[in-house]
Amino acid sequence: DPTQLQDASALQYRDPIQGYDGRFGKSAIRAYRSFVNGNSNDGNNKKTSNHHQQQSPSPEPLAAHAVRVAQQIDFLRKRHAAHQAEW
C-alpha cells in the first residue's frame, strides 16, 4: 500500500530514533525516498546536470520510471520479509 510506505517514510523523518518500519525495511524506504525526492544534485551543481542532460537527450518517461521503482520497492519489501522470517 503506497500510503503505508509514505507514512513509514514520514515517521522515520520525524523520529529517526525509532528506526525503519519493519513492514518495509530500510532499503525499500530509501528507494521510495530516492524516487520521491529526486536527485539531490538537481540545481545545486549545474555543470553536472548539464553534462547529464547532454548524455541522455531523451529522458525516460516518468510513468516507466515509476513502474520500475515500484517493482524494485516490492522486491525489496519481499526480501526484507523473507529475511525477517529466517530470524
Side-chain angles (χ1 to χ4, degrees), residues 4-51:
Q4 291 176 346
L5 183 56
Q6 180 182 12
D7 293 343
S9 177
L11 179 64
Q12 205 283 324
Y13 270 129
R14 285 191 304 266
D15 190 5
I17 294 173
Q18 276 190 322
Y20 288 89
D21 191 312
R23 296 173 293 178
F24 303 103
K26 183 177 182 177
S27 297
I29 292 174
R30 290 184 73 186
Y32 168 80
R33 285 183 184 166
S34 176
F35 176 73
V36 170
N37 296 332
N39 186 356
S40 62
N41 287 333
D42 287 349
N44 294 336
N45 190 344
K46 291 186 184 274
K47 185 175 181 180
T48 303
S49 289
N50 290 339
H51 180 69

Side-chain angles (χ1 to χ4, degrees), residues 20-27 76-87:
Y20 288 89
D21 191 312
R23 296 173 293 178
F24 303 103
K26 183 177 182 177
S27 297
L76 292 169
R77 182 189 57 79
K78 289 176 182 174
R79 187 180 73 175
H80 176 72
H83 181 71
Q84 292 296 335
E86 287 179 9
W87 287 91

Side-chain angles (χ1 to χ4, degrees), residues 27-28 31-32 66-77:
S27 297
Y32 168 80
V67 168
R68 200 172 79 239
V69 172
Q71 290 171 340
Q72 178 187 18
I73 290 170
D74 186 50
F75 170 78
L76 292 169
R77 182 189 57 79

Side-chain angles (χ1 to χ4, degrees), residues 49-65:
S49 289
N50 290 339
H51 180 69
H52 177 69
Q53 288 174 357
Q54 290 173 358
Q55 287 181 340
S56 56
S58 59
E60 179 182 23
L62 181 59
H65 183 63

